[in-house]
Amino acid sequence: MSHEATNWAIKQRGLKPTTKIVLWHLCDRFNPDYGCFPSQDRLAHDCEIRRSTLNHHLGQLEAVGLLRRVPRLDPITKRQLPTRYILGFEPGFTPVAVVPCPEIGHGDNGGAEIADMAEGSPLDAAVDALPCPDFGHGVGAEAVSDVPADPCPENPESRVRISDTNPVREPLSKPVKEEEGAQARAAISDEVFGDLLSALGLGPVALPGWWQGWPPRLHVQRWRDELGLTEAEIIAAAEASRQEHPEPPDGPKALDRAMQRAAQRKFEDAGRKRRKPKTPPATAAKPITDLPAFYADLVNSDRCLPVSAISNTMRDAMLARGLVTAERLRERGVR
C-alpha cells in the first residue's frame, strides 16, 4: 500500500464513483518497489463488483489516461500472469491515447492528447476514445482490421471480459435424480420393496404415485436405519397395520406410526431379555422345637460334636426318652 498513490487517486476529478473506487483500489495495491499487478479476482473482490464491470471501468480509466495495462507472460510456462497496471503518477508513464493499446494492438492512433480533454469531464471529452462498452477494448465504432468492430471476448491476449458464470450449463437435476434412485435401489432391493407392497395390498399394476420412484424406498430405508427394524420386521409391521386399516396407506408416511410402535416393542422385548431372572427367596429355616431330638441326632451321627455342646440336663433327657445310649454318649465323649 502507498499513501502517495491513494492520495493521487482521491485527487482525480470527473470520474464516476465506481470508476474512482476501482482506481483507488488499484493504487491501494501499488507497491513503490514492484508496481501494481493485482489479479482480476482480487480487484473485483476489493471493489465488490463483477469482473465484467471491473473491466469496463478499467477501460474508462485507460481511455482518460490515468493508467495503462500491460499483459505479462510467464517466461517458462508461457501462461498469462496478472496484468501490470502502470498508473498515471509513475515515472515514464505514457497514456494509451498516445500509444496504441499494448494488449490488442489498436487504439486511438490519431495522436489525441490528454491535455485537449481539460475543458470538461475527462470521460465526456474522451468519449471518442472510450473502449468498446461490451468488451472493454476497441475504439468507438471503427475497427482496425477487416474483422467486426467487437473483438472476440475469448481473445486470450486481451483477457478483458471473462464471464463469471458459464452461460450454457447442462441441467444437473436428471443425473442427480438418477444417482439418488440408484442409491435407493441399492439400499432397498426390488424384492424387499415388492414384498412390502404385497403386504400392503398393492400390486405393480396401477401403483399409486406416492409409492413410485425412489422417495418411498428412501423412506423405507429410514425405518431400517433410524428405527432399527429389519426388513422382515418392516414387512410384518406392514401386514399387522392392515388389521386396523384395511385400505392401503396413502404413501409410506402413513405407516410411520405403525413402524415406531414396532420399534418400541422390539426395544422393550430386548430389554426384558437382558434382565436377569430374579432368584427365588431362600426358604426360612424351621425353628428347632425338640432340642433332645436335635442333639440326639447330632450324637448318633458322625458330625463334629463339641463336648460342651450337651449339658447334663440335655444328656439326662435324651437317656430318659431312649434317644441315645450311654455307650454312644461315652463314644462321643459326653460324660
Side-chain angles (χ1 to χ4, degrees), residues 1-2 6 28-29 59 91 109-110 133 160 178 182 251 266 274 294 314 324 327:
M1 175 180 177
S2 172
T6 53
D28 186 55
R29 294 286 174 181
N109 294 327
V160 295
E178 291 179 354
K266 180 180 179 180
R274 287 194 297 267
F294 173 77
M314 188 60 62
V324 295
E327 292 81 3

Side-chain angles (χ1 to χ4, degrees), residues 111-185:
E113 298 292 341
I114 299 301
D116 297 338
M117 305 176 186
E119 297 179 358
S121 169
L123 294 181
D124 296 337
V127 63
D128 294 333
L130 283 176
C132 173
D134 291 333
F135 304 106
H137 58 281
V139 180
E142 299 180 358
V144 174
S145 61
D146 296 331
V147 299
D150 294 338
C152 176
E154 298 179 356
N155 182 5
E157 295 182 358
S158 64
R159 201 168 57 90
V160 295
R161 185 183 180 102
I162 300 177
S163 177
D164 293 334
T165 58
N166 183 9
V168 181
R169 188 179 298 274
E170 295 294 334
L172 297 179
S173 58
K174 185 176 180 180
V176 169
K177 289 184 177 180
E178 291 179 354
E179 182 180 356
E180 291 177 348
Q183 294 176 356
R185 286 191 296 272

Side-chain angles (χ1 to χ4, degrees), residues 253-333:
K253 289 185 178 180
L255 292 174
D256 285 344
R257 187 70 60 85
M259 295 302 166
Q260 291 172 1
R261 289 196 297 264
Q264 182 66 23
R265 289 193 298 269
K266 180 180 179 180
F267 177 77
E268 293 174 354
D269 293 342
R272 283 192 292 267
K273 292 179 180 179
R274 287 194 297 267
R275 297 192 191 102
K276 294 182 179 179
K278 295 182 179 180
T279 56
T283 56
K286 295 181 180 181
I288 301 174
T289 58
D290 191 355
L291 290 177
F294 173 77
Y295 284 109
D297 182 64
L298 187 61
V299 171
N300 292 326
S301 67
D302 295 332
R303 289 176 290 174
C304 177
L305 177 63
V307 177
S308 60
I310 299 175
S311 62
N312 293 336
T313 302
M314 188 60 62
R315 178 197 62 192
D316 295 342
M318 288 188 295
L319 290 173
R321 293 175 57 180
L323 298 176
V324 295
T325 61
E327 292 81 3
R328 182 59 180 170
L329 288 173
R330 284 193 295 270
E331 290 176 2
R332 297 289 281 171

Side-chain angles (χ1 to χ4, degrees), residues 86-100:
I86 302 178
L87 301 174
F89 64 86
E90 295 186 59
F93 171 78
T94 304
V96 71
V98 178
V99 181

